[in-house]
Amino acid sequence: MTTSVSPQHPYSPAFRAGDTVYVSGALSVDADYQPVAGRDQALDAAVVRMTERLETVGAGLGDVVKLTYYVTDLSLREEANRQFERLFAVPRPARTFLEVSNLPYGATVEIDAIAHVGQGEH
């Protein structure tokens, strides 16, 4: 098993178990944990944070097989759909899209992921 440990988090931002990578929720915040304003910008910021976490265990967006979006505004779904189409080739990963009442640091989007980094198709 491979983990990415950060002294500022009591959890692993990414955890690799065999060929599977689990990425903890990545928020729509900047490097200083300030919320990113703007609908598309917030979605993109969460993806940037998620990608950084994937990279800590040798994975990338092309390895993602499942994403879960947590948003504070369900109307972000259309922007998220466009982002999804822009980021992922067909067949695209599975996805769940949920509205929540609040997210840490005032973020409006959080994305967690599961990736497959082994041999063969995923």
Side-chain angles (χ1 to χ4, degrees):
M1 285 185 252
T2 305
T3 62
S4 167
V5 179
S6 169
Q8 64 192 153
H9 302 294
Y11 56 87
S12 297
F15 188 93
R16 183 172 176 171
D19 292 344
T20 305
V21 173
Y22 300 90
V23 180
S24 296
L27 296 164
S28 59
V29 295
D30 64 20
D32 297 319
Y33 289 89
Q34 297 301 307
V36 172
R39 296 167 67 87
D40 289 323
Q41 295 85 348
L43 286 160
D44 288 344
V47 168
V48 168
R49 301 282 86 77
M50 181 190 60
T51 302
E52 291 168 350
R53 291 173 177 213
L54 282 163
E55 290 171 351
T56 67
V57 291
L61 281 179
D63 299 312
V64 171
V65 296
K66 171 72 165 75
L67 291 169
T68 302
Y69 281 68
Y70 303 91
V71 298
T72 57
D73 180 353
L74 200 55
S75 73
L76 281 169
R77 187 170 181 270
E78 290 308 313
E79 285 96 334
N81 285 342
R82 286 193 299 273
Q83 178 191 58
F84 209 69
E85 290 172 344
R86 187 176 76 246
L87 292 175
F88 298 103
V90 176
R92 293 184 179 92
R95 185 187 82 176
T96 301
F97 194 86
L98 303 165
E99 184 177 36
V100 296
S101 62
N102 261 321
L103 289 168
Y105 304 105
T108 57
V109 178
E110 182 171 7
I111 302 173
D112 68 20
I114 299 172
H116 181 268
V117 292
Q119 301 291 325
E121 294 290 320
H122 59 302

